[in-house]
PDB file of all heavy atoms in Angstrom:
ATOM      1  N   PRO A  31     -18.832  32.435  -3.304  1.00 98.00           N
ATOM      2  CA  PRO A  31     -18.703  31.167  -2.456  1.00 98.00           C
ATOM      3  C   PRO A  31     -18.001  29.973  -3.146  1.00 98.00           C
ATOM      4  O   PRO A  31     -17.146  29.258  -2.597  1.00 98.00           O
ATOM      5  CB  PRO A  31     -20.098  30.854  -2.114  1.00 98.00           C
ATOM      6  CG  PRO A  31     -20.855  32.070  -2.316  1.00 98.00           C
ATOM      7  CD  PRO A  31     -20.223  32.898  -3.331  1.00 98.00           C
ATOM      8  N   ALA A  32     -18.395  29.816  -4.464  1.00 98.00           N
ATOM      9  CA  ALA A  32     -17.793  28.739  -5.253  1.00 98.00           C
ATOM     10  C   ALA A  32     -18.061  29.041  -6.715  1.00 98.00           C
ATOM     11  O   ALA A  32     -19.178  29.447  -7.019  1.00 98.00           O
ATOM     12  CB  ALA A  32     -18.308  27.393  -4.810  1.00 98.00           C
ATOM     13  N   TYR A  36     -22.231  28.997  -7.152  1.00 96.00           N
ATOM     14  CA  TYR A  36     -22.595  30.193  -6.458  1.00 96.00           C
ATOM     15  C   TYR A  36     -21.985  31.365  -7.112  1.00 96.00           C
ATOM     16  O   TYR A  36     -20.869  31.924  -6.639  1.00 96.00           O
ATOM     17  CB  TYR A  36     -22.188  30.160  -5.014  1.00 96.00           C
ATOM     18  CG  TYR A  36     -22.830  28.885  -4.241  1.00 96.00           C
ATOM     19  CD1 TYR A  36     -22.003  27.889  -3.708  1.00 96.00           C
ATOM     20  CD2 TYR A  36     -24.189  28.795  -4.045  1.00 96.00           C
ATOM     21  CE1 TYR A  36     -22.466  26.845  -3.058  1.00 96.00           C
ATOM     22  CE2 TYR A  36     -24.668  27.801  -3.334  1.00 96.00           C
ATOM     23  CZ  TYR A  36     -23.956  26.790  -2.793  1.00 96.00           C
ATOM     24  OH  TYR A  36     -24.426  25.676  -2.161  1.00 96.00           O
ATOM     25  N   TRP A  40     -22.646  36.501  -1.556  1.00 98.00           N
ATOM     26  CA  TRP A  40     -23.718  36.112  -0.471  1.00 98.00           C
ATOM     27  C   TRP A  40     -23.234  36.827   0.844  1.00 98.00           C
ATOM     28  O   TRP A  40     -22.074  37.054   1.029  1.00 98.00           O
ATOM     29  CB  TRP A  40     -23.628  34.530  -0.232  1.00 98.00           C
ATOM     30  CG  TRP A  40     -24.690  33.885  -0.959  1.00 98.00           C
ATOM     31  CD1 TRP A  40     -25.897  33.454  -0.428  1.00 98.00           C
ATOM     32  CD2 TRP A  40     -24.675  33.400  -2.336  1.00 98.00           C
ATOM     33  NE1 TRP A  40     -26.609  32.814  -1.386  1.00 98.00           N
ATOM     34  CE2 TRP A  40     -25.969  32.784  -2.559  1.00 98.00           C
ATOM     35  CE3 TRP A  40     -23.802  33.545  -3.366  1.00 98.00           C
ATOM     36  CZ2 TRP A  40     -26.226  32.217  -3.827  1.00 98.00           C
ATOM     37  CZ3 TRP A  40     -24.125  32.989  -4.619  1.00 98.00           C
ATOM     38  CH2 TRP A  40     -25.290  32.376  -4.860  1.00 98.00           C
ATOM     39  N   LEU A  41     -24.176  37.144   1.525  1.00 98.00           N
ATOM     40  CA  LEU A  41     -23.971  37.922   2.797  1.00 98.00           C
ATOM     41  C   LEU A  41     -23.158  37.231   3.898  1.00 98.00           C
ATOM     42  O   LEU A  41     -22.036  37.744   4.191  1.00 98.00           O
ATOM     43  CB  LEU A  41     -25.351  38.309   3.478  1.00 98.00           C
ATOM     44  CG  LEU A  41     -25.381  39.159   4.714  1.00 98.00           C
ATOM     45  CD1 LEU A  41     -24.414  40.373   4.685  1.00 98.00           C
ATOM     46  CD2 LEU A  41     -26.825  39.478   5.091  1.00 98.00           C
ATOM     47  N   TRP A  42     -23.644  36.146   4.407  1.00 98.00           N
ATOM     48  CA  TRP A  42     -22.766  35.633   5.497  1.00 98.00           C
ATOM     49  C   TRP A  42     -21.518  34.976   5.020  1.00 98.00           C
ATOM     50  O   TRP A  42     -20.545  34.915   5.644  1.00 98.00           O
ATOM     51  CB  TRP A  42     -23.614  34.920   6.473  1.00 98.00           C
ATOM     52  CG  TRP A  42     -24.049  33.399   6.253  1.00 98.00           C
ATOM     53  CD1 TRP A  42     -24.252  32.891   4.976  1.00 98.00           C
ATOM     54  CD2 TRP A  42     -24.201  32.385   7.245  1.00 98.00           C
ATOM     55  NE1 TRP A  42     -24.669  31.599   5.163  1.00 98.00           N
ATOM     56  CE2 TRP A  42     -24.638  31.276   6.548  1.00 98.00           C
ATOM     57  CE3 TRP A  42     -24.129  32.314   8.590  1.00 98.00           C
ATOM     58  CZ2 TRP A  42     -24.962  30.150   7.175  1.00 98.00           C
ATOM     59  CZ3 TRP A  42     -24.417  31.215   9.251  1.00 98.00           C
ATOM     60  CH2 TRP A  42     -24.872  30.073   8.570  1.00 98.00           C
ATOM     61  N   ASP A  43     -21.581  34.576   3.668  1.00 98.00           N
ATOM     62  CA  ASP A  43     -20.338  34.044   3.129  1.00 98.00           C
ATOM     63  C   ASP A  43     -19.149  35.086   3.122  1.00 98.00           C
ATOM     64  O   ASP A  43     -18.142  34.836   3.626  1.00 98.00           O
ATOM     65  CB  ASP A  43     -20.602  33.606   1.595  1.00 98.00           C
ATOM     66  CG  ASP A  43     -21.455  32.362   1.542  1.00 98.00           C
ATOM     67  OD1 ASP A  43     -22.630  32.476   1.883  1.00 98.00           O
ATOM     68  OD2 ASP A  43     -21.051  31.362   1.187  1.00 98.00           O
ATOM     69  N   ASN A  78     -29.383  38.761   1.196  1.00 98.00           N
ATOM     70  CA  ASN A  78     -28.502  37.587   1.318  1.00 98.00           C
ATOM     71  C   ASN A  78     -27.635  37.380  -0.003  1.00 98.00           C
ATOM     72  O   ASN A  78     -26.650  36.781  -0.010  1.00 98.00           O
ATOM     73  CB  ASN A  78     -29.319  36.351   1.617  1.00 98.00           C
ATOM     74  CG  ASN A  78     -30.041  35.708   0.481  1.00 98.00           C
ATOM     75  OD1 ASN A  78     -30.598  36.515  -0.334  1.00 98.00           O
ATOM     76  ND2 ASN A  78     -30.079  34.349   0.333  1.00 98.00           N
ATOM     77  N   GLN A 113     -29.925  37.208   5.611  1.00 98.00           N
ATOM     78  CA  GLN A 113     -29.125  36.105   6.113  1.00 98.00           C
ATOM     79  C   GLN A 113     -28.505  36.301   7.411  1.00 98.00           C
ATOM     80  O   GLN A 113     -28.535  37.411   7.858  1.00 98.00           O
ATOM     81  CB  GLN A 113     -28.074  35.755   5.032  1.00 98.00           C
ATOM     82  CG  GLN A 113     -28.088  34.271   4.481  1.00 98.00           C
ATOM     83  CD  GLN A 113     -26.986  33.996   3.560  1.00 98.00           C
ATOM     84  OE1 GLN A 113     -26.106  34.813   3.295  1.00 98.00           O
ATOM     85  NE2 GLN A 113     -26.895  32.819   3.054  1.00 98.00           N
ATOM     86  N   TRP A 169     -34.123  30.253   3.504  1.00 97.00           N
ATOM     87  CA  TRP A 169     -32.707  30.707   3.113  1.00 97.00           C
ATOM     88  C   TRP A 169     -32.067  31.814   4.015  1.00 97.00           C
ATOM     89  O   TRP A 169     -30.924  32.008   4.102  1.00 97.00           O
ATOM     90  CB  TRP A 169     -32.661  31.177   1.583  1.00 97.00           C
ATOM     91  CG  TRP A 169     -32.845  30.063   0.739  1.00 97.00           C
ATOM     92  CD1 TRP A 169     -32.793  28.718   0.992  1.00 97.00           C
ATOM     93  CD2 TRP A 169     -33.090  30.173  -0.731  1.00 97.00           C
ATOM     94  NE1 TRP A 169     -32.951  28.026  -0.212  1.00 97.00           N
ATOM     95  CE2 TRP A 169     -33.146  28.872  -1.226  1.00 97.00           C
ATOM     96  CE3 TRP A 169     -33.231  31.307  -1.603  1.00 97.00           C
ATOM     97  CZ2 TRP A 169     -33.467  28.682  -2.591  1.00 97.00           C
ATOM     98  CZ3 TRP A 169     -33.544  31.018  -2.949  1.00 97.00           C
ATOM     99  CH2 TRP A 169     -33.573  29.692  -3.458  1.00 97.00           C
ATOM    100  N   SER A 171     -32.084  31.663   7.139  1.00 98.00           N
ATOM    101  CA  SER A 171     -31.477  30.983   8.205  1.00 98.00           C
ATOM    102  C   SER A 171     -30.024  30.541   7.996  1.00 98.00           C
ATOM    103  O   SER A 171     -29.280  30.294   8.894  1.00 98.00           O
ATOM    104  CB  SER A 171     -32.221  29.796   8.696  1.00 98.00           C
ATOM    105  OG  SER A 171     -32.055  28.732   7.770  1.00 98.00           O
ATOM    106  N   GLY A 172     -29.717  30.559   6.679  1.00 98.00           N
ATOM    107  CA  GLY A 172     -28.375  30.089   6.369  1.00 98.00           C
ATOM    108  C   GLY A 172     -28.213  28.586   6.258  1.00 98.00           C
ATOM    109  O   GLY A 172     -27.398  28.093   5.537  1.00 98.00           O
ATOM    110  N   LEU A 173     -28.997  27.887   7.145  1.00 97.00           N
ATOM    111  CA  LEU A 173     -28.956  26.445   7.089  1.00 97.00           C
ATOM    112  C   LEU A 173     -30.186  25.979   6.335  1.00 97.00           C
ATOM    113  O   LEU A 173     -31.137  25.379   6.825  1.00 97.00           O
ATOM    114  CB  LEU A 173     -29.027  25.883   8.494  1.00 97.00           C
ATOM    115  CG  LEU A 173     -28.300  26.513   9.650  1.00 97.00           C
ATOM    116  CD1 LEU A 173     -28.485  25.742  10.968  1.00 97.00           C
ATOM    117  CD2 LEU A 173     -26.803  26.736   9.251  1.00 97.00           C
ATOM    118  N   ASP A 174     -30.209  26.331   4.986  1.00 94.00           N
ATOM    119  CA  ASP A 174     -31.306  26.377   4.130  1.00 94.00           C
ATOM    120  C   ASP A 174     -32.325  25.281   4.306  1.00 94.00           C
ATOM    121  O   ASP A 174     -33.519  25.470   4.339  1.00 94.00           O
ATOM    122  CB  ASP A 174     -30.916  26.160   2.693  1.00 94.00           C
ATOM    123  CG  ASP A 174     -30.025  27.378   2.243  1.00 94.00           C
ATOM    124  OD1 ASP A 174     -29.637  28.197   3.062  1.00 94.00           O
ATOM    125  OD2 ASP A 174     -29.770  27.422   1.009  1.00 94.00           O
ATOM    126  N   ASN A 175     -31.836  24.014   4.456  1.00 93.00           N
ATOM    127  CA  ASN A 175     -32.655  22.885   4.395  1.00 93.00           C
ATOM    128  C   ASN A 175     -32.762  22.094   5.628  1.00 93.00           C
ATOM    129  O   ASN A 175     -32.920  20.881   5.641  1.00 93.00           O
ATOM    130  CB  ASN A 175     -32.093  21.974   3.274  1.00 93.00           C
ATOM    131  CG  ASN A 175     -33.174  21.112   2.506  1.00 93.00           C
ATOM    132  OD1 ASN A 175     -34.216  21.683   2.272  1.00 93.00           O
ATOM    133  ND2 ASN A 175     -32.796  19.858   2.281  1.00 93.00           N
ATOM    134  N   ARG A 219     -28.052  17.788  -2.799  1.00 85.00           N
ATOM    135  CA  ARG A 219     -28.730  19.074  -2.769  1.00 85.00           C
ATOM    136  C   ARG A 219     -30.159  18.709  -2.345  1.00 85.00           C
ATOM    137  O   ARG A 219     -30.506  17.790  -1.947  1.00 85.00           O
ATOM    138  CB  ARG A 219     -28.806  19.683  -4.213  1.00 85.00           C
ATOM    139  CG  ARG A 219     -27.513  19.877  -4.885  1.00 85.00           C
ATOM    140  CD  ARG A 219     -26.744  20.891  -4.207  1.00 85.00           C
ATOM    141  NE  ARG A 219     -27.370  22.254  -4.357  1.00 85.00           N
ATOM    142  CZ  ARG A 219     -26.835  23.382  -3.709  1.00 85.00           C
ATOM    143  NH1 ARG A 219     -25.765  23.311  -3.085  1.00 85.00           N
ATOM    144  NH2 ARG A 219     -27.462  24.559  -3.870  1.00 85.00           N
ATOM    145  N   TYR A 372     -28.339  17.780   2.333  1.00 96.00           N
ATOM    146  CA  TYR A 372     -28.032  19.118   2.329  1.00 96.00           C
ATOM    147  C   TYR A 372     -28.504  19.702   3.778  1.00 96.00           C
ATOM    148  O   TYR A 372     -29.684  19.845   3.998  1.00 96.00           O
ATOM    149  CB  TYR A 372     -28.664  19.845   1.236  1.00 96.00           C
ATOM    150  CG  TYR A 372     -28.005  21.147   0.852  1.00 96.00           C
ATOM    151  CD1 TYR A 372     -26.758  21.329   0.558  1.00 96.00           C
ATOM    152  CD2 TYR A 372     -28.837  22.313   0.955  1.00 96.00           C
ATOM    153  CE1 TYR A 372     -26.228  22.541   0.304  1.00 96.00           C
ATOM    154  CE2 TYR A 372     -28.237  23.544   0.648  1.00 96.00           C
ATOM    155  CZ  TYR A 372     -26.992  23.655   0.253  1.00 96.00           C
ATOM    156  OH  TYR A 372     -26.347  24.942   0.147  1.00 96.00           O
ATOM    157  N   TRP A 373     -27.584  20.098   4.592  1.00 97.00           N
ATOM    158  CA  TRP A 373     -27.866  20.567   5.943  1.00 97.00           C
ATOM    159  C   TRP A 373     -28.728  19.591   6.724  1.00 97.00           C
ATOM    160  O   TRP A 373     -29.365  19.908   7.623  1.00 97.00           O
ATOM    161  CB  TRP A 373     -28.644  21.930   5.895  1.00 97.00           C
ATOM    162  CG  TRP A 373     -27.851  23.089   5.495  1.00 97.00           C
ATOM    163  CD1 TRP A 373     -28.067  23.814   4.314  1.00 97.00           C
ATOM    164  CD2 TRP A 373     -26.692  23.663   6.143  1.00 97.00           C
ATOM    165  NE1 TRP A 373     -27.054  24.778   4.249  1.00 97.00           N
ATOM    166  CE2 TRP A 373     -26.252  24.759   5.307  1.00 97.00           C
ATOM    167  CE3 TRP A 373     -26.014  23.483   7.334  1.00 97.00           C
ATOM    168  CZ2 TRP A 373     -25.147  25.532   5.725  1.00 97.00           C
ATOM    169  CZ3 TRP A 373     -24.992  24.275   7.745  1.00 97.00           C
ATOM    170  CH2 TRP A 373     -24.547  25.431   6.851  1.00 97.00           C
ATOM    171  N   TRP A 378     -20.260  20.997   8.457  1.00 98.00           N
ATOM    172  CA  TRP A 378     -19.889  22.289   7.721  1.00 98.00           C
ATOM    173  C   TRP A 378     -18.821  23.026   8.575  1.00 98.00           C
ATOM    174  O   TRP A 378     -18.872  23.089   9.766  1.00 98.00           O
ATOM    175  CB  TRP A 378     -21.119  23.198   7.558  1.00 98.00           C
ATOM    176  CG  TRP A 378     -22.145  22.647   6.617  1.00 98.00           C
ATOM    177  CD1 TRP A 378     -22.993  21.566   6.801  1.00 98.00           C
ATOM    178  CD2 TRP A 378     -22.624  23.181   5.409  1.00 98.00           C
ATOM    179  NE1 TRP A 378     -23.874  21.392   5.670  1.00 98.00           N
ATOM    180  CE2 TRP A 378     -23.569  22.448   4.863  1.00 98.00           C
ATOM    181  CE3 TRP A 378     -22.065  24.286   4.617  1.00 98.00           C
ATOM    182  CZ2 TRP A 378     -24.236  22.674   3.549  1.00 98.00           C
ATOM    183  CZ3 TRP A 378     -22.695  24.611   3.427  1.00 98.00           C
ATOM    184  CH2 TRP A 378     -23.580  23.791   2.868  1.00 98.00           C
ATOM    185  N   ASN A 380     -18.337  26.312   8.695  1.00 98.00           N
ATOM    186  CA  ASN A 380     -18.692  27.572   9.261  1.00 98.00           C
ATOM    187  C   ASN A 380     -19.415  27.298  10.521  1.00 98.00           C
ATOM    188  O   ASN A 380     -19.179  28.023  11.516  1.00 98.00           O
ATOM    189  CB  ASN A 380     -19.547  28.403   8.235  1.00 98.00           C
ATOM    190  CG  ASN A 380     -20.932  27.793   8.081  1.00 98.00           C
ATOM    191  OD1 ASN A 380     -21.055  26.493   7.975  1.00 98.00           O
ATOM    192  ND2 ASN A 380     -21.929  28.677   7.907  1.00 98.00           N
ATOM    193  N   GLU A 416     -17.486  22.002   0.388  1.00 98.00           N
ATOM    194  CA  GLU A 416     -18.582  22.722   0.991  1.00 98.00           C
ATOM    195  C   GLU A 416     -19.003  22.042   2.323  1.00 98.00           C
ATOM    196  O   GLU A 416     -19.289  22.693   3.237  1.00 98.00           O
ATOM    197  CB  GLU A 416     -19.775  22.757   0.004  1.00 98.00           C
ATOM    198  CG  GLU A 416     -20.932  23.665   0.452  1.00 98.00           C
ATOM    199  CD  GLU A 416     -21.978  23.761  -0.610  1.00 98.00           C
ATOM    200  OE1 GLU A 416     -21.969  22.887  -1.606  1.00 98.00           O
ATOM    201  OE2 GLU A 416     -22.939  24.462  -0.492  1.00 98.00           O
ATOM    202  N   PHE A 431     -14.539  25.718  -1.791  1.00 98.00           N
ATOM    203  CA  PHE A 431     -15.658  26.508  -1.223  1.00 98.00           C
ATOM    204  C   PHE A 431     -15.000  27.577  -0.388  1.00 98.00           C
ATOM    205  O   PHE A 431     -14.203  27.224   0.523  1.00 98.00           O
ATOM    206  CB  PHE A 431     -16.609  25.546  -0.452  1.00 98.00           C
ATOM    207  CG  PHE A 431     -17.809  26.161  -0.019  1.00 98.00           C
ATOM    208  CD1 PHE A 431     -18.734  26.702  -0.982  1.00 98.00           C
ATOM    209  CD2 PHE A 431     -18.069  26.406   1.332  1.00 98.00           C
ATOM    210  CE1 PHE A 431     -20.047  27.267  -0.632  1.00 98.00           C
ATOM    211  CE2 PHE A 431     -19.240  27.004   1.752  1.00 98.00           C
ATOM    212  CZ  PHE A 431     -20.208  27.451   0.767  1.00 98.00           C
ATOM    213  N   TRP A 433     -15.864  29.776   2.046  1.00 98.00           N
ATOM    214  CA  TRP A 433     -15.775  29.934   3.637  1.00 98.00           C
ATOM    215  C   TRP A 433     -15.080  28.670   4.298  1.00 98.00           C
ATOM    216  O   TRP A 433     -14.430  28.958   5.304  1.00 98.00           O
ATOM    217  CB  TRP A 433     -17.116  30.262   4.271  1.00 98.00           C
ATOM    218  CG  TRP A 433     -18.110  29.128   4.561  1.00 98.00           C
ATOM    219  CD1 TRP A 433     -17.845  27.875   5.090  1.00 98.00           C
ATOM    220  CD2 TRP A 433     -19.535  29.249   4.392  1.00 98.00           C
ATOM    221  NE1 TRP A 433     -19.085  27.186   5.174  1.00 98.00           N
ATOM    222  CE2 TRP A 433     -20.066  28.013   4.783  1.00 98.00           C
ATOM    223  CE3 TRP A 433     -20.387  30.367   3.997  1.00 98.00           C
ATOM    224  CZ2 TRP A 433     -21.475  27.716   4.842  1.00 98.00           C
ATOM    225  CZ3 TRP A 433     -21.762  30.027   3.984  1.00 98.00           C
ATOM    226  CH2 TRP A 433     -22.328  28.791   4.425  1.00 98.00           C
TER     227      TRP A 433
HETATM  228  C1  GLC B   1     -26.261  27.712   0.398  1.00 95.05           C
HETATM  229  C2  GLC B   1     -26.085  27.750   1.861  1.00 95.05           C
HETATM  230  C3  GLC B   1     -25.992  29.153   2.371  1.00 95.05           C
HETATM  231  C4  GLC B   1     -24.896  29.880   1.690  1.00 95.05           C
HETATM  232  C5  GLC B   1     -25.046  29.785   0.163  1.00 95.05           C
HETATM  233  C6  GLC B   1     -23.774  30.297  -0.618  1.00 95.05           C
HETATM  234  O1  GLC B   1     -27.465  28.385   0.092  1.00 95.05           O
HETATM  235  O2  GLC B   1     -27.143  27.022   2.499  1.00 95.05           O
HETATM  236  O3  GLC B   1     -25.854  29.181   3.788  1.00 95.05           O
HETATM  237  O4  GLC B   1     -24.814  31.254   2.023  1.00 95.05           O
HETATM  238  O5  GLC B   1     -25.172  28.448  -0.160  1.00 95.05           O
HETATM  239  O6  GLC B   1     -22.688  29.646  -0.121  1.00 95.05           O
END
Side-chain angles (χ1 to χ4, degrees):
Y36 301 115
W40 264 262
L41 174 55
W42 80 330
D43 294 66
N78 79 323
Q113 233 182 1
W169 289 349
S171 75
L173 320 184
D174 300 8
N175 209 40
R219 301 292 296 179
Y372 200 59
W373 291 114
W378 290 69
N380 68 327
E416 192 176 6
F431 192 64
W433 82 39

